[in-house]
Amino acid sequence: MAARSHSLLGWSPEAVVFDCDGTLMDSERHWQDARNRAFRDFGLLPPPGFAERAKGVHYIDCGRLMAEETNKPELADDLTAALLDHFRSLVAEDPVTMPGAAEFVRLLSGRLPLAVASNCPEEVVEESLGRAGLRRHFLHVVVPTGAQETARAGDDPAGSTEGRQVVRPKPWPDVYATAAQLCGVRPESALAVEDSMAGVESARRAGLRVLGVGPVPSGEDADRTDLWVTALHAEEVLTWARDRLPDPVPRGGGHG
């Protein structure tokens, strides 16, 4: 385990907001496979190091990046469509949770509000969590709004266009800020659980504290989180949840 400090383990959040891909669901490998298949569809080769640069990037931005880095800007829309089609097929065939993710979610469920903040399309998140049996534990799923609205919002710090509030993708703070609001808590009272640096930046910019999970990043990236663990079944994290969070309160109904 690597950590900037252990202060997180002495703190009790009022809500927890999870990333989906690579945090709850073992789908980063699906994105990688989908990118490779999309490149092959158009007779292109992935640029060196592209997988790392694409991690955590919204799929529309990823399709654009794929086109730019292969000097085929005219293929941006086609690559984006192929990428999403391949990814959805792969997820449907093999919906697998990350190590410890299901156990951690079930441990937190009923103790405090839980939400998901993802760069994926909403139907993909809903289907993935549903297949994994986890959807019922989350009160809210927050994803970016339509690509055209997001693009028109541009650098507007308010994240609005033509008087309408939009939700921009990570690394913008919108998905995490919106999730905390829907959970009824201030951002500084919520914890984000993330595996990518784009997601960490999003959560930090929104004001949440951050638990990083997965392979420890190189350099100073891990220091941008409050704590970094290699998996959500790390004993330190499970003990913290049992000891620091309220006792679970059963709630009726829920999502399927």
Side-chain angles (χ1 to χ4, degrees):
M1 178 180 70
R4 178 168 57 83
S5 73
H6 293 277
S7 61
L8 183 68
L9 299 179
W11 173 69
S12 300
E14 296 178 9
V16 179
V17 184
F18 289 82
D19 170 54
C20 187
D21 288 348
T23 299
L24 292 174
M25 302 302 299
D26 186 8
S27 45
E28 277 300 330
R29 59 192 174 92
H30 293 329
W31 279 119
Q32 175 63 12
D33 288 345
R35 288 190 291 266
N36 289 338
R37 293 183 183 190
F39 277 128
R40 287 198 298 269
D41 286 348
F42 295 91
L44 303 173
L45 293 176
F50 187 83
E52 188 60 31
R53 293 191 294 278
K55 187 175 181 180
V57 174
H58 187 265
Y59 77 97
I60 293 175
D61 294 328
C62 185
R64 187 179 305 117
L65 189 63
M66 293 168 71
E68 290 173 354
E69 293 204 12
T70 54
N71 297 313
K72 296 290 185 180
E74 70 278 8
L75 293 179
D77 290 344
D78 292 334
L79 282 166
T80 298
L83 173 63
L84 184 58
D85 285 346
H86 285 306
F87 176 74
R88 296 183 71 170
S89 295
L90 289 164
V91 169
E93 295 169 3
D94 186 24
V96 179
T97 58
M98 293 297 293
E103 177 183 1
F104 189 57
V105 168
R106 292 183 182 118
L107 180 59
L108 268 57
S109 183
R111 296 174 184 261
L112 71 179
L114 304 182
V116 172
S118 174
N119 267 354
C120 279
E122 185 174 8
E123 62 269 21
V124 174
V125 178
E126 293 277 1
E127 183 177 353
S128 297
L129 296 177
R131 286 175 175 267
L134 296 179
R135 179 61 182 90
R136 64 188 179 86
H137 297 290
F138 297 99
L139 295 177
H140 307 286
V141 170
V142 180
V143 301
T145 54
Q148 292 181 344
E149 285 189 323
T150 301
R152 288 200 301 269
D155 293 333
D156 177 4
S160 62
T161 179
E162 299 180 0
R164 298 192 304 269
Q165 187 75 18
V166 301
V167 179
R168 297 165 295 185
K170 306 171 190 178
W172 293 103
D174 301 24
V175 289
Y176 277 106
T178 301
Q181 181 182 30
L182 289 172
C183 287
V185 304
R186 297 171 299 170
E188 59 268 27
S189 298
L191 174 68
V193 186
E194 266 289 350
D195 75 304
S196 74
M197 298 320 300
V200 170
E201 181 179 352
S202 172
R204 279 292 185 204
R205 291 173 67 182
L208 284 73
R209 300 184 72 172
V210 184
L211 171 64
V213 60
V216 180
S218 59
E220 298 179 354
D221 281 345
D223 293 337
R224 296 168 63 190
T225 68
D226 293 274
L227 179 69
W228 198 286
V229 294
T230 56
L232 288 175
H233 52 40
E235 190 56 41
E236 295 91 339
V237 174
L238 297 180
T239 299
W240 165 79
R242 296 187 189 104
D243 294 348
R244 298 290 305 183
L245 301 183
D247 291 334
V249 177
R251 54 187 177 90
H255 298 275

